[in-house]
Amino acid sequence: MTRLARQVGDEAEQEAYRAQRDDTLAEHDYTARLREEDETLVLYPDAWLDGDTVRLERVEDTDRAVEVSLSATAGDDDWAAIEAANAELVERVADEHGSPHAANARAFADFMGNHYLTRIEDATAEHVQEFTEEYYPRNAWATADQRAAVDASLEYLFAAADTECPTMPADVEN
């Protein structure tokens, strides 16, 4: 929503996207801040805030914060083109495998597009590992069924992209 707000020229449309983002975050008790110096959207749990100030004594786990670069670039693709390509793959998973796989595919598409400005078929083993170990547990707000199916969902998603799901070599895994 923040990227969309930055791409449209109409002030009212920008505000509508920001309001939708803030409403979605409020459902999960998070607040968005834009760090201007490096154009990064930072999402904080509301419990950390006192007004507009992050209270360090309230931060029990820094992994709960989420940072998304708004200035990342990847080749000639822009975010809208990457989102459209990734959304097509998510739709294929939804059509062929239903829920919860579609929700997991959407979460991975969001991760790749928003964090790396990258198409799903270009994901690396490191991307998949970061998604499953860090992003997914903190940001997907997945149901138990979705969590149980995430590995299969990724396999279906990469199959829809007509590529193998990248995995870490055995000597690199923890």
Side-chain angles (χ1 to χ4, degrees), residues 9-128:
D10 180 64
E11 188 75 31
E13 194 174 356
Q14 290 173 356
E15 186 54 40
Y17 281 128
R18 286 189 204 103
Q20 185 178 2
R21 176 202 64 202
D22 292 344
D23 289 347
T24 300
L25 290 173
E27 291 174 18
H28 301 284
D29 300 321
Y30 271 74
T31 298
R33 302 287 159 98
L34 181 61
R35 193 169 59 218
E36 298 282 345
E37 63 267 13
D38 62 356
E39 293 191 353
T40 298
L41 181 69
V42 182
L43 307 178
Y44 296 110
D46 289 342
W48 294 4
L49 300 174
D50 182 11
D52 288 336
T53 304
V54 173
R55 303 294 305 228
L56 295 179
E57 68 274 8
R58 295 181 182 175
V59 178
E60 71 285 349
D61 180 5
T62 57
D63 285 344
R64 291 187 59 215
V66 179
E67 294 188 4
V68 180
S69 173
L70 298 174
S71 62
T73 59
D76 296 328
D77 281 337
D78 66 4
W79 180 86
I82 290 168
E83 171 56 25
N86 289 350
E88 182 180 323
L89 297 175
V90 171
E91 189 64 32
R92 285 188 208 162
V93 171
D95 290 345
E96 294 176 21
H97 304 285
S99 185
H101 302 294
N104 287 334
R106 179 72 259 166
F108 189 72
D110 289 343
F111 169 75
M112 291 303 295
N114 293 335
H115 287 268
Y116 289 103
L117 199 60
T118 301
R119 294 172 185 257
I120 288 167
E121 58 267 26
D122 295 328
T124 66
E126 290 80 7
H127 290 137
V128 172

Side-chain angles (χ1 to χ4, degrees), residues 89 92-93 96-97 120 152-165:
L89 297 175
R92 285 188 208 162
V93 171
E96 294 176 21
H97 304 285
I120 288 167
S153 301
L154 291 174
E155 291 289 341
Y156 296 148
L157 183 59
F158 281 97
D162 200 28
T163 188
E164 292 288 320
C165 183

